[in-house]
Amino acid sequence: MSEIASVYPVMIAGTGSYLPEKVMTNADLEKFVDTTDEWITSRTGIKERRIAADDEFTSHLATKAAKKALEQAGMEASDLQLIIVATISPDTITPATACYVQHNLGATEAIAYDISAACSGFLYAMKIAKRMISDGAYENALIIGAEKLSSFVNWEDRNTCVLFGDGAGAAVLRRSEEGEGRILATEMGTDGAQTGILNIPGGGSACPTTSANVNDKLASLQMSGREVFKLAVNAMKKASEKVIERAGLAPDDIKLVIPHQANLRIIDAIADRLAVPNEKVFVNLDKYGNTSAAAVAIALDEAHRTGRFERGDKIVLVVFGAGLTWAASAIEW
Ligand code: COA
């Protein structure tokens, strides 16, 4: 069979996640920014988040999550052929964080690169890796969502700093054999007209790093929360519906929906619009806040390891983020 004509089914063989040890609670935030636990909890559902140590970088978080995913998949790093890291908080602008991870793991045979799709990055990576495996180019891939957002948050801006946290989640994808699970359908979308509502304006070629723009906090996350909220709900609803339909599923067939962990009110709105009861929707943002590309990957790993779904169950992952970007995947585990 020619490579172009090949269509191999692809499965998730292992998941892993890592959260830094340091916990920052809402009460901790109250000490240095004008906010309250009551405001953060009622508007977002977040109670605490993790903050990486000064000498702990995105690649370190990613490597720790990856090792767990490899272990669960029963695979050696030396067997990996492809590593994709989704992040908006890379160790360095270049080289890619994935290169540090490749070295840390000793995955010498893998090609490695980053993608930047903000909170949608892990599911963008899933679609790219799935396609690379299904067309025969690679037999396996490690995809990682990893963020040290604490380095890119303006800790004086209560509109944003209460929302985000650090962490990493990973999954090993490989060709699926007869009787094993598979990724049933994937969907991605982008609306570049919305770049202004959620961004880090400084530090790139448009606004290079200078002491003036560092002082103006331009190298930090900025957001119009209300606009993001409205667009997020619509985008996630449509993306979920597409993969549910393409996978031939009805809402009742779905064991668990794992949405991006940004805001409990957004998650509730999605559950409502998809007609999925709340108990079938996974939530862990109370513990970690929004970890951008890592969030859905960490949630997938936690849901998997706590038995929220089993072999043969159908699950739906759905995300949105800066760009705007959005994505969804329907998976038979
Ligand atoms: N503590 C206390 N008050 C705060 C606050 C905080 N941490 N952050 C904002 N406020 C204030 C605002 O200043 C505003 O005060 P004002 O009315 O005097 O101007 C008030 O609370 C209401 O702000 P508003 O923006 O209307 O609140 P909201 O109900 O829209 O909730 C978000 C704000 C950010 C929680 C909400 O819009 C949201 O979650 N949006 C989506 C963001 C998101 O998911 N981003 C990540 C995308 S991947």
Side-chain angles (χ1 to χ4, degrees):
M1 202 193 293
S2 80
E3 183 175 297
I4 292 195
S6 305
V7 183
Y8 298 101
V10 178
M11 69 177 293
I12 297 179
T15 62
S17 59
Y18 174 76
L19 280 308
E21 272 176 32
K22 184 178 169 188
V23 176
M24 183 186 280
T25 64
N26 292 346
D28 294 329
L29 280 162
E30 283 177 3
K31 291 177 195 145
F32 61 89
V33 69
D34 182 16
T35 192
T36 60
D37 172 47
E38 196 283 320
W39 191 96
I40 301 170
T41 306
S42 63
R43 302 290 174 119
T44 72
I46 299 166
K47 298 297 285 182
E48 55 190 46
R49 67 287 294 143
R50 300 296 180 92
I51 305 294
D54 288 347
D55 61 354
E56 198 174 31
F57 311 145
T58 297
S59 64
H60 300 138
L61 311 181
T63 302
K64 286 181 175 163
K67 283 184 176 167
K68 291 184 189 167
L70 282 166
E71 189 187 353
Q72 194 178 73
M75 245 174 83
E76 298 296 328
S78 53
D79 295 330
L80 279 174
Q81 297 181 351
L82 172 65
I83 299 172
I84 306 175
V85 173
T87 187
I88 54 165
S89 49
D91 286 23
T92 50
I93 286 185
T94 193
T97 299
C99 299
Y100 300 106
V101 173
Q102 188 239 31
H103 179 65
N104 293 345
L105 292 173
T108 48
E109 301 306 309
I111 65 150
Y113 59 88
D114 289 359
I115 61 163
S116 173
C119 308
S120 306
F122 185 73
L123 294 193
Y124 269 49
M126 187 180 289
K127 177 152 187 146
I128 295 166
K130 175 187 175 251
R131 190 51 77 93
M132 298 265 237
I133 297 170
S134 73
D135 81 359
Y138 300 99
E139 287 177 15
N140 62 56
L142 169 67
I143 59 170
I144 307 171
E147 304 284 6
K148 186 178 179 181
L149 292 173
S150 57
S151 298
F152 295 88
V153 159
N154 174 359
W155 289 103
E156 292 167 11
D157 176 14
R158 68 177 184 174
N159 290 298
T160 52
C161 75
V162 303
L163 303 175
F164 298 99
D166 301 336
V172 173
L173 274 55
R174 67 162 168 80
R175 281 186 201 167
S176 146
E177 306 292 338
E178 191 65 36
E180 292 185 322
R182 63 189 57 191
I183 299 171
L184 299 170
T186 53
E187 167 70 12
M188 304 193 291
T190 306
D191 180 2
Q194 305 299 341
T195 51
I197 62 172
L198 179 54
N199 60 19
I200 300 176
S205 61
C207 181
T209 308
T210 61
S211 48
N213 66 35
V214 168
N215 288 337
D216 290 342
K217 308 285 186 195
L218 292 182
S220 312
L221 270 165
Q222 306 195 352
M223 183 180 71
S224 308
R226 280 188 194 176
E227 275 110 300
V228 174
F229 194 114
K230 274 184 271 168
L231 293 167
V233 173
N234 279 336
M236 292 216 287
K237 174 182 182 282
K238 284 188 191 150
S240 311
E241 285 172 348
K242 279 191 182 156
V243 294
I244 290 168
E245 189 193 328
R246 259 186 245 142
L249 303 176
D252 279 354
D253 300 328
I254 299 167
K255 178 77 183 211
L256 193 66
V257 174
I258 306 179
H260 177 45
Q261 304 289 311
N263 184 310
L264 192 55
R265 291 185 296 152
I266 294 178
I267 293 176
D268 287 345
I270 294 297
D272 190 46
R273 283 168 177 71
L274 293 178
V276 172
N278 283 350
E279 59 273 17
K280 284 189 170 186
V281 179
F282 190 79
V283 175
N284 65 1
L285 59 72
D286 49 319
K287 296 184 292 182
Y288 309 133
N290 180 351
T291 56
S292 191
V296 79
I298 296 168
L300 173 67
D301 182 51
E302 283 202 350
H304 184 206
R305 287 177 191 264
T306 55
R308 292 290 300 270
F309 57 85
E310 292 171 355
R311 189 83 171 265
D313 285 337
K314 317 283 193 308
I315 63 170
V316 171
L317 280 59
V318 61
V319 295
F320 73 95
L324 287 182
T325 55
W326 55 90
S329 295
I331 298 167
E332 179 180 333
W333 202 258

